[in-house]
Amino acid sequence: MTRLRLAGYSFVGVIAAALIVAFALGLRLEVGRGLPDLEPLLARAHDYEVTIRRDAYGVPHVFGRRDADVAFGLAYAQAEDDWDTLQDVIVTVRGTLAARQGAAAAVTDYLVQLLRVWPTTEAGYPELPAPVRALAEGYADGINLWAAEHPGRVWPGVLPVTGQDVVAGFVFRTPFFYGLDRTLSELFSGARDRELGDAPEYAISWGSMRDAPIGSNAVAVAPGRSADGHTRLLINSHQPFTGPVAWYEARLHSEEGLDIVGGVFPGSPVILHGHTRRLGWANTVNRPHLADVFRLELDPDDKLRYRFDGDWRELEVATARIRVRLFGPFAWMVERPLRFSVHGPVIETDTGTYAVRYAGMNETRHLQQYYALNRATDFSSWLDAMRLNALPSINYVYADADGNIAYIYNAQVPRRVPGWDYRSDLPGDHPELVWEDYLPFEALPMLINPPAGFVLNANHTPFRATDPADDLDPAAFPSSLNIETHMTNRGLRALELFGADSAVTAEAFEAYKFDRRYSEESELAELVSLWLAEDFNGEADMLAAQRVLAGWDRAADEDNTGAALAILAAEPVVRGAADAQEPVAALRDAVAHLLQHFGRLDVPWGEVNRLRRGNVDLPLAGGPDLLRAVYGRNDAGDGRRVAQAGDTLVYIVDWAPDGTVDSRSIHQFGSATLDADSPHYADQAPLFAAQQWKRVPLDAEPLRAETTRTYRPGRAD
C-alpha cells in the first residue's frame, strides 16, 4: 500500500491487492461534501495570542502567552509550509483517505477501523488532562484558521479539524514505529506460515542488519569524556525526506515556561525530539516484540464463535464503511466486516483466523507524555515524564547542562506469562496469554551516567551502548523481553570511534557524526569478501569489478571510486530478508547498471549519489547504514541514485560548563516543505550536501537580527 509510510516503512502493496478485490462487493454511490461555514473558524482565532518570527532560513519561532497559543501558532506555520501533507494526515487518521485517493487507500481506512482508532480516541480524550486537551484544540484551531483563509486549498470534508483528530493521529501512527505494519502485512497477505508457539524458553538472535530498521543515530557525551568539559548531544533521526513522517523544524516559546527547539511531524503540537536550554533528547527506533499473534479455533457450526478458556465465545462483529473515490464528487460506499476477540482485532485469511494483541492498544496519552517531556526542566522531571510509559517504543538518548547523560530502551513491554515463544503464533484458547498491562519503566534496559562518559544507539542492541565495561548485561533481562541483539554498521562505527577517543573534541564529535566508512565487521564488508572469493574466470567485466572492490577502502566519500559498485550491489542483498537478492546476481546487476549509465565501474560516488530538489542537483557523500546516512532510489532515469531518506533534520547541541547552550542544525531541504516558489524550498540543501550547519538563534538579539518576517495569525495588527 503506497499511502501508509511510517518511520521509514511502508505497508506493503500486497495488502492493497488482497483487499481491493474484496472491496468490489456491496457498493453504493455516495456524493462528497463541501466546505462548512468558515466564519466560526476565523472567529476562534481571537482566542489566541501568538507571534511567529521566521528566521533567516524560514524556521518558525513561535511565541505565545500560553502553551495552547504556541500550539495554535505552530499549526498555522506548518499549514503555511506543508498544507497538503497536513490535510493528508488528517484524512488518513479519520479513515477517509480512500474518499480522496481512491481504492488503493481503502486498506488504510480499513485499518483505522480495525485498530479502533476512533473508539479509543473518543473514550480516552475526556480523560486527558485539561492542558493537554487545550494543546490539541489550539493546534486544531491553528489548522482551521489557515484553512479558512485559503478555502481553495482545502479538500471537502477536512474542516473543521478538532483536538480529537490530533490525538487520533498519535493513536494510529505510533504502533507502526515498532513494526506493527509488518505483522499486519504478513497476516493480510496470507503469507504467514509459522509453528504454533509452545512453552520452552528460547533465545532471540538477530545476526543480520537486514532485520534492523534503517535509521537513526543518537549520541551523548558527558563532560568527563569531552576534551573541554562540555556535554554534547547528537540528534540524528533518519526519516523520509518528504511526507507524513518527514521532519519539520520549529522553536516553541510560551510565558508558561515552554521553550524548546526541535523536530515535529505534521499533526504534532509539540516537539517530538529536540532540546531546551537545559536538556535535550534524541530518538532511535527499537524493535522489541510488542505484537502477539493468536491463532483462533472457530466453531465448525458457527464461524462467529471461537474457543477460549474451554468454551465457545462470540466474536464481536461490526461493519467497516469506507467511501472510495470514483471521479469528481462521486464515491462508492464499501462495507466490509470487522471482527474482534478478547485478544484484539481479528483477521481472517486462507491460512487461518488470527487475533492480534499489541502494545499501544487503547492508549491515548502519547501527547500527554510528549508534552511532559517538552516541559521538563531537569533530569528528574524528564524521567518523571518517561515514567508515564505511554509511548509503546523508541529509544531515548538524553543529555543536559548539568552533565547528565542517559540511554533508555523505552517500550511498553507486555507483562507476559514467562516461558512461551511469543514470536510464534500463540494458541487463542489460553486466557493466561492475554496480557493486560506492561512492565514498569524501571524494568527496561537503561544506562544512566555510565563511568565511560558516553552513550549511543544506532538501532542496534541496547547491550552495546558504551564501553564494554559499562554495558548492560543481557543475562540481567529475561529472554521474554525479546530484546534485539543485532548490530548495525552505524552502531559498530560509532563504538569504534567514540570508544577509542577518551577526550572527544568538538571537531571530533562533528566528524564522527559524518563518518562515511563501513566497519570491518559490517555485513557489507563480508559481502565484499564473498565477491572477491568468487571465480569469474573469463568474465572481463566481473574481473574488473573484483579489481575495483579489492581497492575499495570501505568509504563513501564523494570522490571515492569503489563505493558506487559496492553500495549498488549490496543494497538489494541487505535491505530486506524476504526479498533479498542473491549476492552474485546483485553484483552482476550493479556492474551492468554502471556500465550502461556511466561506461565504467570506478565512477566517483558523488556522480551517482545525488541530492535533488527543484533546480538543485548536488553530489552527496554517505550511504546506507553509515553514520552519514543516505538512502536513495535508482529510478531517476539517468542511472543516478537520488536520496530519499536518511539524515534529515540533524542537531548538535553543546552545553558549556557554565550551562550556556550552543545549537546547530541542518535540514536536507528547507522549511518550505511543499512551496517550490519559496526561497526556503531548498536553501539548506547546499549546506546539507557540504555537511555544514546553521546556528539556531535561541537568544532574542540573534533572532531579531535575522528575522525575515514577524506576524500574528488571526490578527489584523
Side-chain angles (χ1 to χ4, degrees):
M1 186 185 68
T2 58
R3 296 303 308 170
L4 184 57
R5 289 192 175 272
L6 301 171
Y9 300 97
S10 61
F11 202 106
V12 296
V14 68
I15 305 177
L19 288 183
I20 289 171
V21 174
F23 288 150
L25 304 174
L27 310 177
R28 66 188 170 89
L29 196 61
E30 293 281 314
V31 179
R33 297 169 291 167
L35 295 177
D37 181 9
L38 301 179
E39 286 304 319
L41 306 183
L42 294 166
R44 203 172 299 159
H46 295 291
D47 296 337
Y48 299 93
E49 292 279 350
V50 63
T51 299
I52 300 175
R53 302 183 188 275
R54 297 278 187 164
D55 67 20
Y57 287 91
V59 175
H61 296 245
V62 186
F63 295 85
R65 183 172 57 85
R66 304 168 301 158
D67 293 347
D69 296 328
V70 173
F72 171 84
L74 171 62
Y76 191 90
Q78 274 194 286
E80 290 181 297
D81 290 331
D82 201 8
W83 169 249
D84 285 343
T85 304
L86 196 55
Q87 67 178 342
D88 187 84
V89 167
I90 294 164
V91 299
T92 296
V93 302
R94 286 179 179 170
T96 58
L97 189 62
R100 178 71 190 176
Q101 303 291 351
V107 182
T108 307
D109 294 349
Y110 183 76
L111 286 179
V112 170
Q113 299 187 53
L114 182 69
L115 301 182
R116 289 181 155 172
V117 170
W118 281 95
T120 297
T121 301
E122 289 162 357
Y125 190 81
E127 304 302 317
L128 293 174
V132 176
R133 284 184 277 115
L135 206 70
E137 289 155 14
Y139 188 85
D141 285 340
I143 294 173
N144 289 329
L145 172 61
W146 189 92
E149 293 174 345
H150 303 83
R153 297 281 303 277
V154 182
W155 300 337
V158 168
L159 298 180
V161 180
T162 69
Q164 288 193 1
D165 288 314
V166 177
V167 171
F170 289 96
V171 173
F172 183 53
R173 178 172 58 196
T174 306
F176 290 91
F177 279 87
Y178 64 75
L180 180 62
D181 56 337
R182 291 188 174 185
T183 300
L184 296 175
S185 171
E186 189 178 72
L187 291 172
F188 275 123
S189 69
R192 191 175 185 92
D193 183 18
R194 300 193 180 187
E195 295 295 324
L196 197 64
D198 53 22
E201 289 286 352
Y202 68 104
I204 298 298
S205 178
W206 290 7
S208 167
M209 85 178 199
R210 72 184 62 160
D211 293 312
I214 62 172
S216 306
N217 308 323
V219 182
V221 174
R225 192 81 178 195
S226 296
D228 53 8
H230 288 220
T231 305
R232 292 185 173 88
L233 175 67
L234 171 66
I235 304 172
N236 185 194
S237 169
H238 301 158
Q239 292 297 120
F241 281 4
T242 59
V245 287
W247 288 115
Y248 179 82
E249 184 176 15
R251 192 271 187 89
L252 311 179
H253 187 287
S254 81
E255 295 176 17
E256 292 181 337
L258 193 66
D259 188 8
I260 188 168
V261 63
V264 299
F265 294 148
S268 171
V270 291
I271 299 300
L272 300 181
H273 71 178
H275 70 92
T276 71
R277 293 178 184 273
R278 299 294 302 171
L279 60 86
W281 68 92
N283 294 132
T284 71
V285 169
N286 60 0
R287 297 294 296 274
H289 179 70
L290 300 180
D292 293 340
V293 176
F294 298 83
R295 192 182 300 176
L296 302 185
E297 178 189 350
L298 299 185
D299 185 346
D301 298 322
D302 184 351
K303 297 300 184 182
L304 294 181
R305 299 201 305 171
Y306 64 100
R307 186 175 294 282
F308 186 75
D309 198 15
D311 202 355
W312 296 110
R313 287 207 181 189
E314 298 285 339
L315 286 169
E316 184 181 344
V317 178
T319 300
R321 293 177 174 84
I322 301 167
R323 294 180 69 249
V324 180
R325 179 177 178 267
L326 292 176
F327 57 89
F330 297 101
W332 290 111
M333 178 61 74
V334 178
E335 296 185 354
R336 297 303 302 156
L338 295 167
R339 304 284 186 264
F340 305 94
S341 69
V342 295
H343 314 82
V346 172
I347 299 169
E348 300 177 42
T349 77
D350 291 340
T351 61
T353 300
Y354 303 90
V356 181
R357 192 167 190 82
Y358 60 94
M361 289 178 63
N362 305 316
E363 180 63 80
T364 57
R365 299 172 300 141
H366 316 88
L367 179 56
Q368 180 180 345
Q369 181 166 347
Y370 279 122
Y371 184 34
L373 291 169
N374 277 234
R375 291 297 305 266
T377 57
D378 55 21
F379 190 33
S380 176
S381 57
W382 187 86
L383 282 175
D384 285 343
M386 290 299 300
R387 288 189 181 96
L388 287 172
N389 199 29
L391 304 174
S393 66
I394 302 294
N395 293 305
Y396 279 77
V397 171
Y398 170 93
D400 66 28
D402 297 321
N404 295 301
I405 63 170
Y407 164 62
I408 295 172
Y409 184 87
N410 175 72
Q412 286 182 325
V413 179
R415 195 188 298 272
R416 299 178 173 111
V417 175
W420 286 81
D421 181 353
Y422 287 91
R423 288 187 181 270
S424 296
D425 292 344
L426 300 170
D429 59 341
H430 288 238
E432 72 273 16
L433 298 181
V434 184
W435 45 266
E436 297 292 344
D437 60 356
Y438 305 109
L439 297 179
F441 175 72
E442 285 72 19
L444 301 173
M446 62 182 74
L447 277 169
I448 296 176
N449 292 323
F454 76 94
V455 291
L456 57 86
N457 184 264
N459 310 112
H460 63 278
T461 179
F463 302 128
R464 293 185 65 182
T466 186
D467 277 348
D470 297 335
D471 269 327
L472 297 170
D473 181 2
F477 301 90
S479 62
S480 58
L481 290 182
N482 297 303
I483 295 171
E484 305 97 316
T485 60
H486 73 271
M487 288 298 298
T488 60
N489 177 73
R490 289 170 290 111
L492 291 168
R493 285 297 294 161
L495 288 169
E496 289 168 2
L497 294 166
F498 286 97
D501 192 342
S502 61
V504 181
T505 65
E507 295 76 17
F509 191 91
E510 178 178 333
Y512 297 161
K513 184 271 152 296
F514 288 123
D515 179 71
R516 300 174 294 278
R517 189 175 297 274
Y518 289 94
S519 170
E520 290 184 3
E521 298 180 46
S522 67
E523 187 172 1
L524 195 149
E526 293 178 11
L527 279 172
V528 170
S529 296
L530 181 152
W531 290 324
L532 291 177
E534 191 74 16
D535 183 4
F536 292 120
N537 185 37
E539 299 184 64
D541 289 342
M542 300 305 292
L543 291 171
Q546 285 182 320
R547 288 192 293 272
V548 171
L549 293 173
W552 184 46
D553 61 358
R554 302 191 314 279
D557 301 313
E558 288 179 27
D559 58 356
N560 191 288
T561 56
L565 179 59
I567 291 173
L568 293 183
E571 274 196 300
V573 179
V574 302
R575 268 200 164 177
D579 57 354
Q581 193 172 352
E582 192 276 327
V584 173
L587 179 61
R588 291 186 186 279
D589 287 349
V591 167
H593 178 89
L594 291 174
L595 290 177
Q596 175 187 351
H597 292 284
F598 301 95
R600 54 191 284 203
L601 298 180
D602 57 345
V603 187
W605 180 227
E607 291 187 25
V608 179
N609 201 39
R610 311 296 294 184
L611 178 67
R612 288 178 174 170
R613 173 77 158 174
N615 295 324
V616 173
D617 186 352
L618 297 167
L620 276 181
D625 202 28
L626 291 171
L627 289 172
R628 173 43 157 173
V630 180
Y631 298 89
R633 287 203 300 258
N634 299 322
D635 57 0
D638 59 0
R640 268 68 180 181
R641 178 182 181 276
V642 180
Q644 306 289 327
D647 282 356
T648 50
L649 176 61
V650 186
Y651 285 89
I652 284 182
V653 193
D654 183 319
W655 286 278
D658 63 1
T660 58
V661 60
D662 178 70
S663 176
R664 290 176 293 156
S665 71
I666 192 61
H667 188 279
Q668 78 281 0
F669 292 149
S671 287
T673 312
L674 292 179
D675 184 2
D677 296 326
S678 169
H680 305 301
Y681 183 67
D683 57 339
Q684 296 185 51
L687 292 175
F688 179 84
Q691 299 173 164
Q692 297 177 358
W693 306 89
K694 62 181 182 63
R695 184 155 270 110
V696 179
L698 295 174
D699 295 326
E701 283 305 317
L703 177 58
R704 186 176 296 112
E706 65 173 81
T707 295
T708 57
R709 182 185 174 206
T710 302
Y711 55 106
R712 302 177 66 201
R715 304 290 175 135
D717 56 335

